[in-house]
């Protein structure tokens, strides 16, 4: 709804009594000035007809109630009668409706809000912190509704600042609004069937076959760089799907673009009875070492792979709402999986693996590990990676 149309509609509340009300007032010989707001005119008519129509009588008003009305009215300079003149709570409610409408119209005209603008308000429970919302619509009451649902909305009079798409700060504030929406979603794993349908093209309906495993073995034995491993796993996605438990479905998406800077090698989504979860997969060459030969610290290639996953997570922090448009339920702490190198007694990197698993939720595995999981695909294990990390027990 256009803000001007909303303002015009609310303006009728304090534009004077309606023609029907004037006719009734004249018939009942009730004195009334021409500028009395229509909700107040309605309250006066109800008061006059309360006894003959046996309407419920409204109790009188207390001082705190009148003080609140007076404070709202004062914001727009609206003159209201004295407390004794108002008389009943019904009349007070009518005056409050008018006061609220005038205040709303005043701030709609101040802001001139439109869909796409970002509003900065104050958090209800933390008044010293700002709250951000991108306007998705304007209600007939004048309330601004924000993208993301979850009851996100605000009255115009609470808006401290409004950034329009052409303003210099719009981009930064929009990023904060999207981040806030994502953070307020306490159960992102609860995706709808409509959201799941977005992943249909990447469904993996079976476990790895011998053909899948032989193709992986050949690539491992012959590849000297990452690219052949990317190709073989794109052609045989069951190898990756197999290491994650997905009792109600599993999907493997290759080469997922994250903004303009990043492209993940693979993203794996799996669904259990607890919901949907994601894994971020980074591949490196099977000829690369996990550790430096001399000091046994993580190699530059492994460090690069870890940084890649951390970069993806940082991107997700800022763009989580837009990311969920195509990656439903994804979270900023999705577990990472790095696959690189071969099994080698001089390159075990056990301490490095354990440290990153616990502190960064990043698992480091070799291609031999992936092949071994594929060859064991006929077992009843829920997913080798889940078994090793205990994810199903701890997270779900």
């Amino acid at each position: 709804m256009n803000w001007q149309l909303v303002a015009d509609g609310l303006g009728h509340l304090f534009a004077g009594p309606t023609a029907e009300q004037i006719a009734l007032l004249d018939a009942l010989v009730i004195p009334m000035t021409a500028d009395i707001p229509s909700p107040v005119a309605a309250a006066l008519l109800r008061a006059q007809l309360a006894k003959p129509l046996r309407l419920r009588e409204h109790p009188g008003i207390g001082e705190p109630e009148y003080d609140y009305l007076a404070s709202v009215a004062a914001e727009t300079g609206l003159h209201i009668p004295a407390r004794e003149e108002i008389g009943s709570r019904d009349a007070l409610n009518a005056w409050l409706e008018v006061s609220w409408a005038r205040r709303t119209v005043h701030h709609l005209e101040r802001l001139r809000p439109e869909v796409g603008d970002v509003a900065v308000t104050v958090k209800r429970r933390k008044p010293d912190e700002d709250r951000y919302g991108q306007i998705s619509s304007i209600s007939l009451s004048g309330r601004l509704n924000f993208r993301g649902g979850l009851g996100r909305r605000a009255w115009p009079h609470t808006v401290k600042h409004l950034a329009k798409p052409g303003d210099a700060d719009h981009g930064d504030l929009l990023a904060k609004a999207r981040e806030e929406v994502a953070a307020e979603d306490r159960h992102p794993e609860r995706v709808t069937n409509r959201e799941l349908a977005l992943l249909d093209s990447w469904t993996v309906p079976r476990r790895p076959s011998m053909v899948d495993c032989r193709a992986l073995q050949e690539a491992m034995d012959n590849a000297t760089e990452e690219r052949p491993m990317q190709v073989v796993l794109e052609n045989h996605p069951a190898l990756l799907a197999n290491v994650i438990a997905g009792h109600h479905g599993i999907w493997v998406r290759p080469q997922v673009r994250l903004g303009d800077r990043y492209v993940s090698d693979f993203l794996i989504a799996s669904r259990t009875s607890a919901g949907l979860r994601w894994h971020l997969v980074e591949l490196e060459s099977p000829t690369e070492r996990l550790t430096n030969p001399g000091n046994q610290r993580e190699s530059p290639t492994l460090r690069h792979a870890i940084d890649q996953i951390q970069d993806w997570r940082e991107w997700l922090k800022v763009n989580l709402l837009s990311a969920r448009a195509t990656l439903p339920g994804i979270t900023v702490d999705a577990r990472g999986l790095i696959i690189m190198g071969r099994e080698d007694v001089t390159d075990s990197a056990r301490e490095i693996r354990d440290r990153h698993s616990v502190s960064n939720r990043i698992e480091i595995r070799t291609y031999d590990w992936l092949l071994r999981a594929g060859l064991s695909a006929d077992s009843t294990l829920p997913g080798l990676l889940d078994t090793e990390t205990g994810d199903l027990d701890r997270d779900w």
Side-chain angles (χ1 to χ4, degrees), residues 308-342:
Q308 281 283 88
I309 291 177
Q310 298 287 39
D311 286 343
W312 301 343
R313 288 172 172 169
E314 287 299 317
W315 183 88
L316 285 170
K317 283 183 181 179
V318 178
N319 302 278
L320 194 52
L321 187 61
S322 59
R324 285 179 180 166
T326 55
L327 306 171
I330 197 166
T331 59
V332 297
D333 63 344
R335 186 173 287 280
L337 172 61
I338 296 170
I339 305 176
M340 63 178 288
R342 303 291 299 271

Side-chain angles (χ1 to χ4, degrees), residues 39-57:
V40 177
L44 292 175
L45 284 168
R46 285 192 296 271
Q48 186 72 19
L49 298 172
K51 287 185 178 180
L53 295 182
R54 303 180 66 183
L55 299 177
R56 182 173 63 88
E57 293 188 10

Side-chain angles (χ1 to χ4, degrees), residues 208-210 213-214 217 239 242 368-379:
S209 65
M210 185 55 66
C213 294
R214 292 301 184 197
Q217 179 73 70
L239 292 162
N242 178 60
D368 293 285
W369 171 87
L370 184 62
L371 177 61
R372 186 163 58 251
L375 292 172
S376 304
D378 57 348
S379 73

Side-chain angles (χ1 to χ4, degrees), residues 24-197:
L24 282 173
L25 291 166
D26 290 343
L28 295 172
V29 195
I30 301 175
M32 184 80 61
T33 59
D35 61 347
I36 196 75
S38 62
V40 177
L44 292 175
L45 284 168
R46 285 192 296 271
Q48 186 72 19
L49 298 172
K51 287 185 178 180
L53 295 182
R54 303 180 66 183
L55 299 177
R56 182 173 63 88
E57 293 188 10
H58 296 272
I61 60 178
E63 187 173 345
E65 295 172 295
Y66 182 81
D67 288 345
Y68 176 73
L69 167 63
S71 67
V72 176
E75 291 187 37
T76 59
L78 174 65
H79 174 73
I80 60 173
R83 175 183 162 194
E84 305 77 38
E85 296 175 2
I86 290 181
S88 72
R89 184 170 287 109
D90 185 33
L92 178 136
N93 290 341
W95 277 109
L96 182 60
E97 182 182 2
V98 173
S99 301
W100 195 283
R102 278 176 59 98
R103 180 173 65 177
T104 299
V105 170
H106 171 77
H107 288 283
L108 284 175
E109 292 174 343
R110 170 178 68 90
L111 298 169
R112 297 176 176 267
E114 297 176 325
V115 172
D117 295 348
V118 178
V120 182
T121 61
V122 175
K123 288 188 176 180
R124 298 171 189 168
R125 298 178 182 175
K126 297 182 179 180
D128 57 333
E129 295 184 17
D130 288 337
R131 187 167 182 258
Y132 308 90
Q134 184 183 27
I135 298 175
S136 60
S137 65
I138 304 175
S139 298
L140 290 174
S141 63
R143 187 148 54 181
L144 309 178
N145 304 308
F146 300 147
R147 296 192 189 281
L150 305 173
R152 292 174 53 79
R153 52 185 179 264
W155 291 102
H157 69 271
T158 67
V159 177
K160 299 164 53 179
H161 174 65
L162 192 78
K164 295 185 172 296
D167 295 343
D169 59 348
H170 183 270
D172 290 340
L173 296 181
L174 179 58
K176 290 181 178 180
R178 289 173 172 171
E179 182 179 346
E180 195 171 278
V181 169
E184 289 180 1
D185 188 353
R186 303 304 181 190
H187 298 284
E189 72 279 0
R190 297 177 184 173
V191 298
T192 65
N193 289 333
R194 181 178 181 181
E195 290 174 314
L196 281 177

Side-chain angles (χ1 to χ4, degrees), residues 11-23:
H12 291 304
L13 292 177
F14 48 85
T18 65
E20 293 84 355
Q21 290 174 331
I22 292 174

